[in-house]
């Protein structure tokens, strides 16, 4: 399914200067044999490339090196240039251009190229099978890059200093390389070499030798003669022990043996070496065999990450400066020495460390309950990371240290901070996600160097003062207090921080923000006051001339602030408020990129210049909701999504939401994250839903159609997917009409770091898997394909995900094949969350579920997650989709209609005329959902005032029942017993459709039993649960319609029997109940708060039936009672109230 593009389109495009289709002739013009032909010509890097296929981009490219050559004008031909290479076997190409302008442009570029004396040539990713014969005639050429080509091992090379032949599938050691005695750097990585030739000992000038990603198990003894060798790369081979020949390499300073099969590390192997940097990552080392420390005095950096160590004695390296031992099983760590500067020991078991004089220490994710005692003796400690542990108390010296500049203690169990604060030099303090109820009273008074404080996700009710007088020495620039219990009392205490640039106080208990206090914060650039109880934004915000971001969603703001008059404004988010009229300035800020006003039900806005904003969001007009109103009562799902740019103001994420997918009872939601590129997320957002729709017709298996969707999308990324990539997560809700159980299923598929989490009964249920090298299967697969994992745990230094969209040049190490998970939805499923990488790096699935479980509106929930992530310090682009579910018990047990004999009709305003029984309607007709985030108000009954077209004679299968006194109980959410349907919405159930009557309504008449009316609409109980009719057992009724209304209804006799369901609904054989509604006009929508859930049909909302319909309805009821089966249970035995 994957189309692998040639590497030529990946990196050559960056070096292409000029290209075009021109007449080309090779050789001398006097020879009559050579003729002109139309060829593709490319001026790329230092070469001229001519296609071998006429007028085509494909085929073999002839490469003419121009270094040292010449470019001349041909006088006998107009607009013609002669390109010649240097050397005794020089070649000449004549190119005739179409215009003088092109001729002049090519001449200028080529003249600069041939006049230069370039010592470095880059021909990587060109698909070369042989070297150009004239490539090495230049005497200045010293560095040649032939990476990612198809060169054989017998290439004849000349004088070079640097040669890169990595990723060429050589298969055997290139012996001609050993004859280049001038080489100082040789890269033969990823060529599946099984051995190194003994002739390598002839290259005495070699200083860097890279053999990573091969099949090596031993090294020849001749390698020991390379006394100048300083860097030896043996990573990701098959070594089971340290090669003995290393004892002869006295000059090696850096040894990389990551990704081998070492199980023990005998330190005696380093006794005679002068190695400074040892890289032993990703092995299976469980034990270090000690040696005398005096023989290991040269080692300054030791990296043993991702091994199986339980005890590490780093004191054996007396001059060790940097130690990396993350992701082991270390319970005891011993270090010593005055030279040690940094210890990185995160993600181990409970760690007991005797620390010494350190500068940087990282001990996060170690289940530590106490801070190592030895840290107090460190007089040079500058950075300490003890986050994500179980620490309950900080030592007093931490806030009085004269050296500590950055303290990260978030995600612990701290209940208080040390009260003694004595002029620390602390610049960054992160204590988020603890149990703090107050900060030290003199924190700001004594901490004159504090620039950033993050105390989000605590229980703070107030903040300490910045000074005891009007004069303050605070230099605080960033303050994060999101998700606390702060009130209006803390606002005056902010004025002492006059240099404050970033202020996050979202989801607190603020009701007002005094204008006089805001006026003193003139340096503010970014403010987030979302999730409070604010009614206005202070007008003095105009004093903040540098303001570029204002986020205040989920409040009760009624007046739009005049922030658009600030010229530096980039982002304004006032969604989920109570905005009404908005007066926008004529000239919007030139840098404005985002303006979000969704979720304001009373908003009235008309401004033509808003089309120029990159991301402008507003609720759709209320009239457009009529086309989406559900004909099945309460929707099974509602959704909301949000996107936010990162610190670089690049929106590298995208969201996909199709609440009615493929015109059936389906929905599709997705989140895409391009890390630092915007192209791939945009392509995925625009294309992936169409591909999935096509794959649904080819396969019914969730595993197959989801997997094929990702693979086809990989091919459609084209050139953008060569060197760019992105994470993706899709969630597909589906109701299979062929399934007799009638359950909704949720299928999630993901690659990369985008994830989906389902909330079931208040607990998170993971639907996605993150694929990286920490997964054993993925790591084994990468090892099999001999890819290189760099020190930042990225495959070939590109991506840390082993399954991701794009990055085709990393195939087969990196694949687009997704993880697919399918499960049936149950009434216990409340909602699911789709989030990009930045969201899940800031909070756990449990925290995300708890944060939005009590937020009824899906848009407000998505906004909250995004705001919390930013308040917790995320600087990445964020995208979140929240889908609230309303799956009743009946969705998993009710009988669905049989498959129609032909495809369901497409949605329309009115059902298509048909003779006899109609087919079941499509899912968009039965379940057209409008999320509460889109509606922003209570959903009442709506109907069209347009007169519907006349219908031909149809058959009514179900019976019409009289008024029923029904016991209460849970109804089938897919097929409720009574639902209100719009007259403008088609339903193909085979039931008769009563037309509206425009005569006057009488308020004196009593409502007739069995009929509910709302305004000028008449609602009649009818059993249309099953859309498929049974001609032998079903009731037949003929409805004759005229423009004035219903003239007659003939009802037959039924032979079907019902049975009671566990959810309390009546379920005759292939029957159920529904409601036929007639409407002539749409009543006004009830205005409500944004967090108001859609209103259910009100049983008391009854008006009087028009007199003209009274006799007809009574006749219907009378006929129903006469023809009812005698052994049938009373109608009130089965049904539940409306």
């Amino acid at each position: 399914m994957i189309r692998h593009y040639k590497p030529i389109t990946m990196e050559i495009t960056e070096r292409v200067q000029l290209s075009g289709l021109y007449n080309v002739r090779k050789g001398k013009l006097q020879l009559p044999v050579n003729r002109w032909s139309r060829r593709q010509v490319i001026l790329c890097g230092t070469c001229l490339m001519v296609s071998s296929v006429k007028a085509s981009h494909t085929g073999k490219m002839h490469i003419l090196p121009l270094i040292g050559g010449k470019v001349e004008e041909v006088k006998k031909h107009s607009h013609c240039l002669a390109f010649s290479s240097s050397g005794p076997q020089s070649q000449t190409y004549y190119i005739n251009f179409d215009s003088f302008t092109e001729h002049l442009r090519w001449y200028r570029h080529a003249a600069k190229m041939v006049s230069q004396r370039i010592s470095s040539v880059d021909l990587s990713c060109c698909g070369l099978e042989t070297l150009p014969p004239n490539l090495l005639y230049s005497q200045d050429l010293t560095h040649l890059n032939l990476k990612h080509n198809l060169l054989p091992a017998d290439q004849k090379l000349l004088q070079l200093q640097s040669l890169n032949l990595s990723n060429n599938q050589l298969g055997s050691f290139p012996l001609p390389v050993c004859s280049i005695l001038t080489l100082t750097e040789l890269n033969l990585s990823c060529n599946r070499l099984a051995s190194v030739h003994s002739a390598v000992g002839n290259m005495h000038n070699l200083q860097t030798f890279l053999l990573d990603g091969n099949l090596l198990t031993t090294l020849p003894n001749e390698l020991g003669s390379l006394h100048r060798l300083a860097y030896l790369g043996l990573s990701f081979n098959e070594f089971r022990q340290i090669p003995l020949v290393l004892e002869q390499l006295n000059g090696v300073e850096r040894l990389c043996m990551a990704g081998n099969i070492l199980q023990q590390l005998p330190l005696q192997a380093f006794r005679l070496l002068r190695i400074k940097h040892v890289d032993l990552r990703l092995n299976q080392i469980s034990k270090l065999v000690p040696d005398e420390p005096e023989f290991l005095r040269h080692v300054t950096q030791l990296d043993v990450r991702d091994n199986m160590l339980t005890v590490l004695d780093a004191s054996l390296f007396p001059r060790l400066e940097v130690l990396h031992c993350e992701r082991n099983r270390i319970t005891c760590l011993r270090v010593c020495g005055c030279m040690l500067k940094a210890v990185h020991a995160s993600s181990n078991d409970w760690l007991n460390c005797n620390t010494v004089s350190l500068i940087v220490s990282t001990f996060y994710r170690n289940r530590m309950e106490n801070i190592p005692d030895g840290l107090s003796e460190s007089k040079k400690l500058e950075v300490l990371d003890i986050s994500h542990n179980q620490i309950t108390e900080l030592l007093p010296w931490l806030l009085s240290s004269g050296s500590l500049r950055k303290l990260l203690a978030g995600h612990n169990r701290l209940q208080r901070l040390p009260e003694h604060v004595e002029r620390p030099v602390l610049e960054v303090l992160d204590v988020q996600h603890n149990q703090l109820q107050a900060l030290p009273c003199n924190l700001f008074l004594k901490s004159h160097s504090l620039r950033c404080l993050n105390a989000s996700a605590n229980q703070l009710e107030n903040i300490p003062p910045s000074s005891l007088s009007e004069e303050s020495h605070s230099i605080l620039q960033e303050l994060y207090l999101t998700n606390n219990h702060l009130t209006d009392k803390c606002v005056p205490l902010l004025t002492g921080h006059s240099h404050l640039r970033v202020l996050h106080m979202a989801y607190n208990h603020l009701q007002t923000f005094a204008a006089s206090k805001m006026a003193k914060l003139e340096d503010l650039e970014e403010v987030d006051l979302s999730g409070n109880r604010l009614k206005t934004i202070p007008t003095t915000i105009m004093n903040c001339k540098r303001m570029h971001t204002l986020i205040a969603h989920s409040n009760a703001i009624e007046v739009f602030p005049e922030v658009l008059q600030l010229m530096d404004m980039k982002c304004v988010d006032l969604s989920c408020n109570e905005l009404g009229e908005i007066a926008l300035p004529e000239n919007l800020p030139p840098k404005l990129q985002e303006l979000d006003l969704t979720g304001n039900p009373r908003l009235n806005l008309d401004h033509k210049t808003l089309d120029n904003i990159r991301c402008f969001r507003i609720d759709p007009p209320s009239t457009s909701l009529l086309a989406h109103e559900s004909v099945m009562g309460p929707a099974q799902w509602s959704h909301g999504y949000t996107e936010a740019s990162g610190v670089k103001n690049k929106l590298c994420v995208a969201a996909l939401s199709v609440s009615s997918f493929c015109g059936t009872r389906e929905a599709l939601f997705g989140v895409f994250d391009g890390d630092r590129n915007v192209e791939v997320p945009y392509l995925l957002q625009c294309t992936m839903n169409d591909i999935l729709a096509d794959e649904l017709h080819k396969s019914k298996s969730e595993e197959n159609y989801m997997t094929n969707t990702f693979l086809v999308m990989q091919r459609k990324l084209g050139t953008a997917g060569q060197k760019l990539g992105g994470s993706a997560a899709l969630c597909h809700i589906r109701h299979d009409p062929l399934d007799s159980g009638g359950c909704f299923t949720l299928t999630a598929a993901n690659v990369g770091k985008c994830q989906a989490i389902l909330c079931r009964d208040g607990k998170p249920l993971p639907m996605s898997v993150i694929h990286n090298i920490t997964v054993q299967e993925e790591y084994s697969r990468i090892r099999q394909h001999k890819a290189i994992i760099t020190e930042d745990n990225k495959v070939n230094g590109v991506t840390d995900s082993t399954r991701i969209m794009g990055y085709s040049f990393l195939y087969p190490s990196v694949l687009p094949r997704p993880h697919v998970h399918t499960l049936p939805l149950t009434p216990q499923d409340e909602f699911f969350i789709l989030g990009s990488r930045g969201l899940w790096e800031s909070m756990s699935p449990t925290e995300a579920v708890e944060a939005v479980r009590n937020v009824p509106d899906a848009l407000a929930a998505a906004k909250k997650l995004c705001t919390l992530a930013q308040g917790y310090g995320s600087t990445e682009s964020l995208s979140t989709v929240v889908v609230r579910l309303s799956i009743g018990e009946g969705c998993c047990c009710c009988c669905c209609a049989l498959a129609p004999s032909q495809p369901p009709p497409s949605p329309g305003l009115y059902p298509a005329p048909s003779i006899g029984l109609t087919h079941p309607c499509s899912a968009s007709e039965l379940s057209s959902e409008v999320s509460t985030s889109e509606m922003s108000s209570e959903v009442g009954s709506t109907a069209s005032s347009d007169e519907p077209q006349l219908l031909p004679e149809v058959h009514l299968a179900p019976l019409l029942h009289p008024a029923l006194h029904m016991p209460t109980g849970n109804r089938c959410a897919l097929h409720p017993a009574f639902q209100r349907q719009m007259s403008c919405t088609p339903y193909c159930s085979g039931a008769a459709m009563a037309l509206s009557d425009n005569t006057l309504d009488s308020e004196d008449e009593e409502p007739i039993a069995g009929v509910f009316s709302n305004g000028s609409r008449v609602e009649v109980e009818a059993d249309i649960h099953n859309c498929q009719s049974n001609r032998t057992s079903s009731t037949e009724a003929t409805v004759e319609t005229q423009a004035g209304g219903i003239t007659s209804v003939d009802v037959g006799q039924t032979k079907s029997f019902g049975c009671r369901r566990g959810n309390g609904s009546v379920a005759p054989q292939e029957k159920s109940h529904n409601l036929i509604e007639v409407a002539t006009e749409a009543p006004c929508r009830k205005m409500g708060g944004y967090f108001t859930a859609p209103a259910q049909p009100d049983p008391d909302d009854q008006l009087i039936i028009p007199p003209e319909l009274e006799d007809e309805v009574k006749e219907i009821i009378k006929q129903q009672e006469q023809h009812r089966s005698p052994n049938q249970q009373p109608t009130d035995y089965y049904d539940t109230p409306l």
Side-chain angles (χ1 to χ4, degrees):
M1 297 296 294
I2 305 177
R3 176 183 297 173
H4 302 291
Y5 296 87
K6 288 187 176 181
I8 189 173
T9 61
M10 179 185 61
E11 294 186 5
I12 280 188
T13 55
E14 296 183 352
R15 304 194 299 270
V16 170
Q17 301 179 29
L18 296 172
S19 64
L21 200 63
Y22 306 109
N23 291 323
V24 180
R25 184 171 180 175
K26 182 180 179 181
K28 298 181 180 180
L29 291 177
Q30 292 79 7
L31 298 177
V33 179
N34 299 328
R35 298 181 180 180
W36 296 92
S37 61
R38 199 76 171 173
R39 300 293 175 90
Q40 179 72 23
V41 183
I42 300 175
L43 188 63
C44 177
T46 60
C47 301
L48 180 73
M49 306 175 67
V50 181
S51 174
S52 61
V53 180
K54 185 176 181 181
S56 174
H57 296 267
T58 60
K60 184 179 179 180
M61 302 294 291
H62 296 287
I63 300 178
L64 182 70
L66 297 179
I67 299 176
K70 58 183 178 179
V71 178
E72 300 176 330
E73 297 187 30
V74 181
K75 298 181 179 179
K76 296 183 179 180
H77 294 78
S78 60
H79 314 323
C80 184
L81 293 177
F83 296 84
S84 302
S85 60
S86 61
Q89 298 181 358
S90 62
Q91 295 181 351
T92 303
Y93 281 91
Y94 294 89
I95 302 178
N96 192 9
F97 298 95
D98 298 334
S99 64
F100 176 75
T101 304
E102 294 180 345
H103 165 270
L104 185 60
R105 185 185 301 114
W106 279 74
Y107 180 74
R108 289 177 177 176
H109 280 79
K112 293 179 181 179
M113 188 179 302
V114 298
S115 62
Q116 294 177 357
R117 292 296 181 263
I118 301 178
S119 60
S120 177
V121 175
D122 186 1
L123 292 177
S124 61
C125 306
C126 290
L128 298 178
E129 298 179 1
T130 58
L131 287 178
N134 301 326
L135 179 63
L136 304 178
Y137 288 122
S138 174
Q139 300 298 324
D140 300 320
L141 184 62
T142 58
H143 297 78
L144 179 60
N145 187 1
L146 299 174
K147 179 181 179 181
H148 276 292
N149 282 285
L150 303 174
L151 296 173
D154 57 349
Q155 293 294 315
K156 296 181 180 181
L157 303 172
L158 298 180
Q159 303 292 327
L160 284 174
Q161 294 182 12
S162 176
L163 178 61
N164 187 347
L165 287 172
S166 61
N167 296 93
N168 272 284
Q169 303 179 6
L170 298 179
S172 61
F173 192 86
L175 188 58
V177 172
C178 300
S179 61
I180 310 177
L181 303 181
T182 57
L183 271 181
T184 60
E185 181 179 348
L186 177 60
N187 189 348
L188 297 176
S189 301
C190 301
N191 280 294
R192 306 191 71 83
L193 303 180
S195 62
V196 177
H197 199 275
S198 59
V200 71
N202 299 329
M203 296 183 291
H204 299 290
N205 294 320
L206 199 62
Q207 300 177 11
T208 301
F209 194 16
L210 302 181
L211 294 167
D212 304 320
N214 285 288
L215 304 174
L216 302 176
T217 57
T218 59
L219 293 177
N221 294 329
E222 290 77 6
L223 190 67
S225 61
L226 304 180
H227 298 294
R228 295 186 180 182
L229 190 64
Y231 180 16
L232 179 59
L234 301 174
S235 298
F236 300 97
N237 281 279
E238 305 292 335
F239 291 101
R240 295 183 177 273
Q241 60 183 1
I242 303 295
L244 297 177
V245 70
L246 293 182
E247 298 179 357
Q248 307 175 28
L249 299 174
N250 298 328
V252 174
E253 296 183 354
R254 182 170 182 174
L255 175 64
C256 296
M257 293 193 67
N260 283 279
I261 321 176
L262 302 179
Q263 297 181 356
Q264 289 187 354
L265 182 60
L267 299 181
Q268 293 87 347
F270 305 105
R271 171 175 292 192
L272 302 178
L273 300 180
R274 296 182 179 180
I275 296 178
K276 295 182 179 181
H277 186 175
V278 181
D279 184 1
L280 299 172
R281 299 173 293 114
L282 295 165
N283 279 278
Q284 303 174 13
I285 301 174
S286 59
K287 183 180 180 181
L288 267 67
V289 180
D291 194 11
E292 294 297 330
E294 59 182 81
F295 296 108
L296 302 173
R297 60 185 181 274
H298 299 292
V299 178
T300 59
Q301 296 187 35
L302 178 61
D303 193 342
V304 289
R305 285 176 285 178
D306 298 286
N307 279 281
M308 304 171 64
L309 294 171
T310 56
V311 177
L312 177 59
D313 186 2
S315 62
L316 298 174
F317 304 91
R319 295 188 179 182
L320 190 65
E321 297 180 1
V322 180
L323 173 62
H324 285 276
C325 56
E326 301 100 308
R327 293 179 295 279
N328 279 274
R329 304 172 184 175
I330 300 175
T331 58
C332 182
L333 173 63
R334 183 183 179 186
V335 293
C336 68
C338 59
M339 304 295 293
L340 193 61
K341 298 179 180 179
V343 174
H344 304 276
S346 60
S347 301
N348 282 279
D349 290 334
W350 183 81
L351 188 65
N352 184 13
C353 176
N354 65 315
T355 55
V356 290
S357 180
L358 298 174
I359 297 178
V360 179
S361 298
T362 57
F363 299 107
Y364 63 88
R365 299 186 187 277
N366 278 295
R367 294 186 294 175
M368 297 172 58
E369 298 180 356
N370 299 300
I371 300 176
D373 297 333
L375 284 176
S376 59
E377 302 176 2
S378 178
K379 304 300 181 182
K380 300 180 181 180
L381 185 63
E382 296 183 2
V383 179
L384 177 59
D385 187 353
I386 52 175
S387 58
H388 294 275
N389 283 288
Q390 302 174 10
I391 299 174
T392 58
E393 184 179 4
L394 293 182
L395 299 178
W397 65 269
L398 287 174
L399 296 185
S400 302
S401 173
S403 61
L404 189 62
R405 299 183 180 275
K406 187 175 183 179
L407 175 59
L408 306 179
H411 297 271
N412 279 284
R413 300 177 181 177
L414 301 177
Q415 296 183 356
R416 61 183 181 87
L417 297 180
E419 291 293 336
H420 181 69
V421 181
E422 188 62 34
R423 298 188 182 279
V425 295
L426 198 63
E427 297 179 3
V428 178
L429 176 60
D430 189 345
V431 290
Q432 61 173 301
H433 286 87
N434 281 285
Q435 303 171 15
L436 301 176
Q437 297 183 358
L439 297 174
C441 58
N442 58 351
L443 177 63
F444 296 135
L445 295 175
K446 299 294 184 178
S447 304
H448 299 311
S449 302
L450 191 61
R451 295 183 295 103
C452 177
L453 171 62
N454 193 332
S456 300
N458 281 284
Q459 303 173 14
L460 301 178
E461 298 181 357
N462 209 336
I463 59 176
S466 59
S467 65
L468 299 177
S469 60
E470 294 183 359
E471 184 180 358
S472 175
H473 300 284
S474 173
I475 63 170
L476 190 67
Q477 298 180 10
E478 300 179 18
L479 181 58
Y480 299 89
L481 297 171
T482 299
N483 197 13
N484 279 285
H485 301 158
L486 300 176
T487 61
D488 298 347
K489 297 180 180 180
C490 69
V491 175
L493 301 175
L494 296 173
T495 57
H497 306 291
S498 57
H499 299 284
L500 200 61
R501 296 187 300 104
V502 179
L503 176 61
H504 282 244
M505 298 183 67
Y507 294 96
N508 282 281
H509 302 320
L510 301 179
Q511 296 183 357
T512 59
F513 201 108
S516 60
K517 311 305 178 184
M518 178 68 76
K520 297 181 179 181
L521 303 175
E522 297 181 353
D523 291 343
L524 274 180
E525 299 177 4
E526 178 180 332
V527 177
D528 193 338
L529 300 173
S530 305
N532 286 284
R533 306 169 187 173
L534 300 176
K535 293 186 178 180
T536 59
I537 298 294
T539 56
T540 53
I541 197 174
M542 299 299 298
N543 293 348
C544 307
K545 301 299 183 181
R546 301 178 182 177
M547 179 78 66
H548 60 74
T549 301
L550 173 62
I551 304 176
H553 63 80
S554 305
N555 281 283
I557 300 174
E558 300 177 354
V559 180
F560 188 83
E562 299 179 356
V563 292
L564 294 183
Q565 295 182 5
L566 300 173
M567 290 297 98
D568 292 337
M569 188 59 66
K570 298 179 181 179
C571 173
V572 178
D573 187 352
L574 292 174
S575 57
C576 308
N577 280 287
E578 298 294 337
L579 295 176
E581 295 286 342
I582 295 182
L584 298 180
E586 291 295 333
N587 298 321
L588 295 176
K591 300 179 181 179
L592 186 63
Q593 297 177 351
E594 298 183 30
L595 178 60
D596 195 343
L597 301 176
T598 54
N600 289 278
R602 297 181 297 175
L603 181 62
N604 187 7
L605 178 65
D606 184 13
H607 201 279
K608 298 180 180 179
T609 59
L610 295 177
D611 297 336
N612 299 327
I613 303 177
R614 184 189 69 179
C615 189
F616 171 60
R617 299 186 182 94
I618 191 173
D619 288 330
S622 58
T623 55
S624 65
L625 294 174
L626 295 177
H628 300 283
E629 197 76 43
S630 175
V631 298
M632 296 183 59
Q636 275 74 42
W637 52 80
S638 62
H639 75 278
Y641 72 93
T642 185
E643 300 167 345
S645 302
V647 291
K648 296 183 179 179
N649 291 322
K650 290 180 62 178
L651 190 62
C652 300
V653 294
L656 173 65
S657 60
V658 186
S659 58
S660 182
F661 182 62
C662 290
T664 59
R665 281 172 287 179
E666 300 181 28
L668 180 64
F669 304 97
V671 164
F672 314 107
D673 189 343
D675 195 6
R676 291 177 177 84
N677 75 86
V678 298
E679 292 85 355
V680 172
Y682 178 75
L683 291 174
L684 296 177
Q685 180 191 40
C686 297
T687 313
M688 216 153 186
N689 57 332
D690 295 332
I691 297 177
L692 179 58
D694 294 338
E695 294 299 327
L696 283 173
H697 296 290
K698 302 177 182 178
S699 175
K700 297 302 180 181
S701 170
E702 291 85 358
E703 179 80 21
N704 291 340
Y705 71 70
M706 271 296 191
T707 300
N708 293 340
T709 298
F710 279 72
L711 297 182
V712 173
M713 185 67 237
Q714 174 80 353
R715 175 171 55 86
K716 289 186 176 293
L717 285 177
T719 56
Q722 286 291 327
K723 63 182 303 182
L724 300 178
S727 304
L730 282 183
C731 281
H732 180 215
I733 304 177
R734 188 182 188 189
H735 180 273
D736 191 356
L738 300 178
D739 184 7
S740 59
C743 295
F744 281 99
T745 59
L746 175 63
T747 301
N750 82 297
V751 292
K753 290 190 175 181
C754 291
Q755 298 183 64
I757 301 295
L758 174 66
C759 175
R760 172 169 290 182
D761 220 358
K763 298 180 180 179
L765 181 62
M767 299 288 293
S768 306
V769 172
I770 296 181
H771 298 92
N772 51 31
I773 62 170
T774 60
V775 181
Q776 185 59 37
E777 296 180 359
E778 295 298 306
Y779 178 67
S780 301
R781 183 174 58 81
I782 291 178
R783 286 290 309 273
Q784 180 181 358
H785 296 294
K786 295 303 175 183
I788 297 176
I789 300 174
T790 54
E791 294 183 358
D792 52 357
N793 279 346
K794 292 185 177 181
V795 180
N796 287 351
V798 177
T799 175
D800 55 356
S801 297
T802 58
R803 297 195 183 189
I804 198 170
M805 301 300 297
Y807 297 127
S808 300
F809 74 102
L810 294 178
Y811 177 85
S813 301
V814 176
L815 301 175
R817 186 179 183 87
H819 167 78
V820 182
H821 187 192
T822 302
L823 52 75
L825 294 176
T826 67
Q828 287 74 34
D829 297 328
E830 304 175 20
F831 58 89
F832 63 85
I833 302 171
L834 283 161
S836 59
R837 174 176 57 94
L839 177 68
W840 304 117
E841 289 181 351
S842 302
M843 65 181 68
S844 64
T846 302
E847 183 181 0
V849 167
E850 293 176 353
V852 300
R853 189 184 182 193
N854 296 325
V855 180
D857 183 75
L859 174 61
K863 289 283 185 182
K864 183 175 182 179
L865 290 175
C866 185
T867 298
L868 290 179
Q870 291 176 329
Y872 297 159
S874 175
T875 58
E876 305 291 338
S877 296
L878 297 170
S879 180
T880 306
V881 177
V882 176
V883 182
R884 288 212 160 268
L885 302 172
S886 179
I887 307 297
E889 294 182 359
C891 289
C892 301
C893 62
C894 65
C895 295
C896 295
L898 298 176
S901 58
Q902 61 185 16
S906 59
L909 280 179
Y910 303 102
S914 60
I915 299 177
L917 294 171
T918 59
H919 292 279
C921 57
S922 64
S924 62
E925 301 163 10
L926 288 176
S927 175
S928 178
E929 296 83 5
V930 178
S931 66
T932 56
S933 60
E934 296 169 347
M935 299 176 66
S936 306
S937 61
E938 296 182 3
V939 180
S941 300
T942 57
S944 173
S945 58
D946 298 333
E947 185 179 28
Q949 69 181 34
L950 299 182
L951 299 179
E953 179 181 287
V954 295
H955 298 283
L956 180 61
L959 292 176
L960 300 178
H961 299 283
L964 306 175
H965 301 283
M966 299 161 289
T968 60
N970 294 328
R971 300 302 309 222
C972 168
L974 178 60
H975 304 293
F978 299 105
Q979 298 163 3
R980 301 191 173 186
Q981 300 179 354
M982 300 181 299
S983 62
C984 62
T985 305
Y987 42 92
C988 314
S989 59
M993 182 177 181
L995 300 183
S996 60
D997 191 349
N998 297 325
T999 56
L1000 296 178
D1001 295 337
S1002 173
E1003 298 181 356
D1004 298 329
E1005 297 288 340
E1006 296 182 357
I1008 300 177
V1011 179
F1012 303 95
S1013 61
N1014 186 359
S1016 57
R1017 292 176 299 164
V1018 180
E1019 302 175 358
V1020 184
E1021 300 171 14
D1023 182 32
I1024 58 171
H1025 193 128
N1026 183 14
C1027 299
Q1028 181 76 16
S1029 103
N1030 189 341
R1031 294 182 179 271
T1032 60
S1033 61
S1034 63
T1035 304
E1036 296 184 356
T1038 303
V1039 180
E1040 299 177 1
T1041 59
Q1042 294 180 357
I1046 301 177
T1047 59
S1048 65
V1049 180
D1050 297 333
V1051 184
Q1053 185 176 0
T1054 179
K1055 297 182 181 180
S1056 62
F1057 297 92
C1059 60
R1060 179 179 295 278
R1061 291 289 184 183
N1063 60 357
S1065 64
V1066 60
Q1069 296 177 3
E1070 301 183 356
K1071 303 293 178 183
S1072 183
H1073 290 277
N1074 209 325
L1075 182 72
I1076 299 178
E1077 178 186 19
V1078 181
T1080 56
E1081 60 183 2
C1084 297
R1085 301 173 58 84
K1086 299 179 181 180
M1087 304 305 297
Y1090 185 77
F1091 296 99
T1092 305
Q1096 301 297 325
D1098 189 1
D1100 298 329
D1101 187 13
Q1102 300 179 3
L1103 297 178
I1104 305 303
I1105 301 176
E1108 290 80 0
L1109 295 179
E1110 179 178 350
D1111 296 337
E1112 299 173 356
V1113 174
K1114 288 182 178 180
E1115 182 66 24
I1116 292 174
I1117 297 173
K1118 181 178 179 181
Q1119 294 179 3
Q1120 182 269 334
E1121 292 178 348
Q1122 292 177 355
H1123 297 287
R1124 188 172 60 187
S1125 177
N1127 58 349
Q1128 188 177 4
Q1129 295 287 351
T1131 52
D1132 59 350
Y1133 179 80
Y1134 298 105
D1135 293 344
T1136 57
L1138 174 63

